[in-house]
Amino acid sequence: MTVAATATKPAPTPTPNRPRRTRNRGFGGGGRDAWLLVLPALIPVLLFSVYPLAQGILLGFTDAKAGLNQVVTFNGVDNYSKLLTNDLFWNSFRIGLIWAFGVTILQFFAALGLALLLNLNLKLRWLARTLALVPWAMPPVIIAIMWRLMLNPTYGPINGTLRALGLPGDTNWLGDFSTALPAVIVVGIWAGMPQTTITLLAGLQNVSADLHEAASIDGANALQRFWHITLPALRPVIVAITTLDLIWNFNSFALVYVLTAGGPGGQTMLPMLFAYNEAFRYGNFGYAAAMGNVMVIIIAAFLFFYLRSQARSRLS
Amino acid sequence: MTQAIAPAPETRFPEPTDGQKPKGTPSAKRTRAVTRPLQYIALALYIVFLGFPLLFLLITAFKTPQELQSPDPQFLPQQFNFDNFVAAIDKANLIHAAGNSLFVAVLTTVIVTAISLPAAYALARFRTKLRGVATGWILLSQVFPFILIIIPLFLVLKQIGLVNNLFGLVLVYTVWSLPFALWMLQGYVAGVPVELEEAGSMDGASRFRVLRSIVLPLLAPGLVATSLFTFISSWNEFFFALVLIQDPNLQTLPLTLARFVGAEGQVQLGQLAAASLLATIPSLVFFALIQRRLTSGLMSGAVKG
């Protein structure tokens, strides 16, 4: 995967004062030592990560089911032709895409705004910075519990505020067909703020102050400087973090599982939840793995087009 | 990042067109007078959005069932009572679950640190093909949905009797947090100048001695950050635990809390909040400790990668 590789690669090249690296500058003869050192990490990864993954992909072409002594046979593309007509799955897929893109895009703008503010010399900056980090330390399960309190129809402060303002304050945010998905997306944005904000902030702090100064001497206003200096400089960071966010969000599970468990009526049934139910509630391992394969292919296709368009516009 | 900045100097040309702006500080000061309050308003909104849910969780944990059920809920609790905390610990079997979580997280952290340290050193110092492969795997492992991994993993672990077993969970967490730990650590190793090692060996120190007396002390802060991050990830993890642990006696904290949610009524909200707060404390404390290192470590890992 070249995701972050392409995005971060430009960074090391322009540091000329770093000592020139010859091959294997550490100790000894290189290759064999490196392997020895890596081996303890490599073995568990191969056994319990690479192997299951390969098996999982294969499983998507079988009729594997839960339970002992099941005979597993390859059934080719049967799972996929069955999936094609499975409206529930595609509906869940659509919800998953709305969720992933909704959270990623809105969170990007929210985090960019916050990072820009944190990059200024404002009072109370420390408070915002600390608060922006807290969600990172919280288990997703607890974030979900907290927001269930916030969104509680009778006790929750959101409805309480609405009532105080004389607005209808009895919406069951997580239980209503039309509000469940937007509400869950807001929680997703909250939960993912730290990574995005910190990454963007670090990127901002690498933007050359000289350029800013030069531009402002030449009369560029703040907006122009942002558009012509900050944004181009930030671009690799933006591409990297939005890519990662998109993947993380598309694959996220715990938050929504605890918030709504996919309800009401499947309105927040993310693909991961759907596949989880298929595998561990109904025991259709092969079919669930097939869903996983479809998810990988589609998310990889999105990433491919996104990264290619980014690479192209950087070249031009 | 120079190539990204390169086009910027051309932005000079459009500038003269907006003539109403006299050069120099007065205009800058004037715009600042307008924008500063706006910036503070924006910052305040962020603080409310990020902080209010936390505050509300804290407040709820201190409210009595009567207050929680009241048709006209007050924002602040009448008094600070710790009944909810006591009840939560009692009812949800919180201590036991915390013990399980602690066991899994500590063991995972120890193993991950032990095996990722040499590997990170190799990745950072030896420029072999391994490096590309490892980086590729680290990134690739992010793309695949867990569902693809968990089903075969479940089957494998079942065969070797590690389903419904905390050691099985440790194994999964180890493999699962390894890529990220490696990524972070190799960034820290790259930050230790090779020249120091060369100087050490030139002075006659053995290879082991160099690693122990020169590299390790310099690496210590990064090592602490990496291991605490691993701890937090394991402490917080939910999905694998949900699949692999069914025995109520072996449940980790997130599992126990999630189960608690299902059974919640209005009355139990206070206990739920109290339990949530208690479960967050360890990772919050650890996070406060490594916060700065973590962000710098991530960036150095990313930049020097």
Side-chain angles (χ1 to χ4, degrees), chain B residues 25-303:
Chain B
T25 39
S27 86
K29 249 178 201 155
R30 204 159 24 133
T31 34
R32 177 165 291 192
V34 183
T35 51
R36 262 297 131 106
L38 288 178
Q39 286 165 351
Y40 273 108
I41 291 171
L43 193 70
L45 288 176
Y46 275 111
I47 290 175
V48 170
F49 173 61
L50 292 166
F52 186 78
L54 300 167
L55 183 68
F56 190 70
L57 182 70
L58 187 70
I59 285 170
T60 305
F62 288 103
K63 285 188 176 169
T64 61
Q66 289 75 30
E67 286 175 86
L68 290 168
Q69 272 181 307
S70 128
D72 175 32
Q74 297 296 304
F75 181 63
L76 286 173
Q78 250 103 59
Q79 68 198 50
F80 282 99
N81 68 40
F82 287 83
D83 295 355
N84 286 328
F85 291 90
V86 178
I89 289 173
D90 207 39
K91 193 182 274 172
N93 215 353
L94 224 51
I95 301 283
H96 192 76
N100 289 339
S101 277
L102 193 68
F103 174 79
V104 172
V106 167
L107 203 55
T108 303
T109 306
V110 171
I111 297 174
V112 166
T113 311
I115 63 182
S116 66
L117 183 58
Y121 183 82
L123 288 187
R125 286 286 193 256
F126 303 106
R127 314 231 124 204
T128 54
K129 278 203 194 95
L130 256 184
R131 211 182 139 70
V133 174
T135 317
W137 173 250
I138 289 167
L139 296 167
L140 195 67
S141 65
Q142 302 282 313
V143 183
F144 283 93
F146 283 155
I147 193 78
L148 270 185
I149 302 174
I150 193 66
I151 298 173
L153 201 55
F154 178 79
L155 296 172
V156 170
L157 290 177
K158 196 160 194 169
Q159 264 169 16
I160 52 179
L162 286 180
V163 165
N164 249 333
N165 185 322
L166 290 182
F167 287 104
L169 212 51
V170 170
L171 188 65
V172 176
Y173 286 179
T174 300
V175 173
W176 169 76
S177 29
L178 202 59
F180 205 77
L182 257 179
W183 183 250
M184 267 177 87
L185 255 187
Q186 67 91 16
Y188 287 113
V189 174
V192 177
V194 191
E195 286 72 14
L196 286 180
E197 289 179 43
E198 287 167 348
S201 68
M202 227 171 279
D203 288 344
S206 73
R207 179 171 180 172
F208 177 73
R209 180 82 199 278
V210 167
L211 291 181
R212 207 199 53 183
S213 315
I214 298 177
V215 181
L216 212 54
L218 287 172
L219 217 53
L223 210 53
V224 170
T226 311
S227 50
L228 286 182
F229 190 79
T230 308
F231 180 92
I232 295 174
S233 315
S234 319
W235 180 267
N236 292 353
E237 207 282 333
F238 178 69
F239 179 65
F240 289 131
L242 179 71
V243 174
L244 295 175
I245 303 292
Q246 277 111 34
D247 185 345
N249 271 324
L250 297 176
Q251 278 180 359
T252 56
L253 261 184
L255 280 183
T256 308
L257 286 168
R259 195 131 312 174
F260 206 168
V261 171
E264 106 199 28
Q266 198 81 341
V267 191
Q268 289 198 333
L269 288 180
Q271 293 174 21
L272 191 61
S276 301
L277 274 181
L278 290 175
T280 315
I281 288 170
S283 38
L284 219 49
V285 169
F286 278 178
F287 204 82
L289 292 177
I290 59 163
Q291 192 229 95
R292 193 152 296 171
R293 297 206 182 285
L294 180 67
T295 51
S296 67
L298 280 182
M299 288 327 285
S300 66
V303 171

Side-chain angles (χ1 to χ4, degrees), chain A residues 3-316:
Chain A
V3 181
T6 45
T8 50
K9 221 170 226 161
T13 34
T15 48
N17 52 353
R18 215 146 56 101
R20 192 173 53 86
R21 275 243 170 86
T22 47
R23 287 179 71 84
N24 306 335
R25 275 272 300 272
F27 274 103
R32 208 173 54 93
D33 289 333
W35 278 101
L36 271 178
L37 288 172
V38 172
L39 213 56
L42 196 62
I43 289 173
V45 166
L46 282 178
L47 278 180
F48 296 101
S49 193
V50 178
Y51 168 68
L53 186 62
Q55 218 194 3
I57 295 171
L58 283 182
L59 216 56
F61 297 91
T62 68
D63 60 355
K65 286 201 167 32
L68 292 170
N69 305 323
Q70 288 283 338
V71 184
V72 176
T73 50
F74 278 93
N75 60 1
V77 292
D78 279 11
N79 286 335
Y80 302 91
S81 51
K82 209 164 96 186
L83 263 184
L84 270 181
T85 54
N86 188 340
D87 289 343
L88 283 176
F89 175 70
W90 292 109
N91 192 39
S92 137
F93 216 93
R94 185 184 59 84
I95 292 166
L97 289 178
I98 295 174
W99 149 267
F101 279 95
V103 173
T104 305
I105 292 168
L106 295 174
Q107 185 178 69
F108 166 70
F109 286 112
L112 183 63
L114 181 57
L116 286 169
L117 286 173
L118 291 178
N119 203 28
L120 296 169
N121 207 3
L122 298 177
K123 292 183 186 93
L124 284 181
R125 190 172 61 156
W126 61 271
L127 179 61
R129 192 189 278 251
T130 313
L131 286 175
L133 278 173
V134 168
W136 207 347
M138 290 175 81
V141 171
I142 289 173
I143 295 178
I145 290 174
M146 187 179 75
W147 279 93
R148 278 175 70 105
L149 292 176
M150 289 288 291
L151 296 165
N152 186 299
T154 50
Y155 170 68
I158 291 178
N159 275 347
T161 314
L162 288 177
R163 276 195 294 271
L165 293 170
L167 295 163
D170 53 0
T171 315
N172 185 0
W173 298 98
L174 292 172
D176 197 290
F177 269 56
S178 56
T179 56
L181 188 56
V184 165
I185 287 176
V186 170
V187 182
I189 294 170
W190 192 92
M193 280 296 277
Q195 292 91 323
T196 317
T197 309
I198 293 302
T199 314
L200 289 174
L201 183 59
L204 278 178
Q205 285 165 349
N206 278 338
V207 176
S208 148
D210 292 352
L211 274 178
H212 265 273
E213 212 167 295
S216 72
I217 287 171
D218 288 340
N221 63 31
L223 197 67
Q224 286 169 323
R225 272 178 284 148
F226 174 74
W227 193 256
H228 292 291
I229 297 175
T230 311
L231 220 50
L234 214 53
R235 182 169 209 151
V237 178
I238 292 174
V239 173
I241 192 65
T242 47
T243 307
L244 282 173
D245 275 342
L246 193 69
I247 300 171
W248 286 334
N249 287 325
F250 196 74
N251 292 338
S252 85
F253 179 85
L255 201 61
V256 178
Y257 180 86
V258 176
L259 273 173
T260 61
Q267 287 301 303
T268 57
M269 187 64 82
L270 304 186
M272 269 290 279
L273 289 162
F274 194 89
Y276 168 80
N277 283 340
E278 196 66 42
F280 295 100
R281 184 163 292 179
Y282 310 122
N284 298 323
F285 283 172
Y287 197 38
M291 290 174 187
N293 284 338
V294 173
M295 284 161 68
V296 172
I297 288 168
I298 292 188
I299 201 79
F302 270 116
L303 292 178
F304 176 75
F305 287 116
Y306 177 52
L307 292 171
R308 197 178 62 167
S309 74
Q310 286 304 320
R312 278 205 181 143
S313 59
R314 194 158 55 183
L315 286 176
S316 60

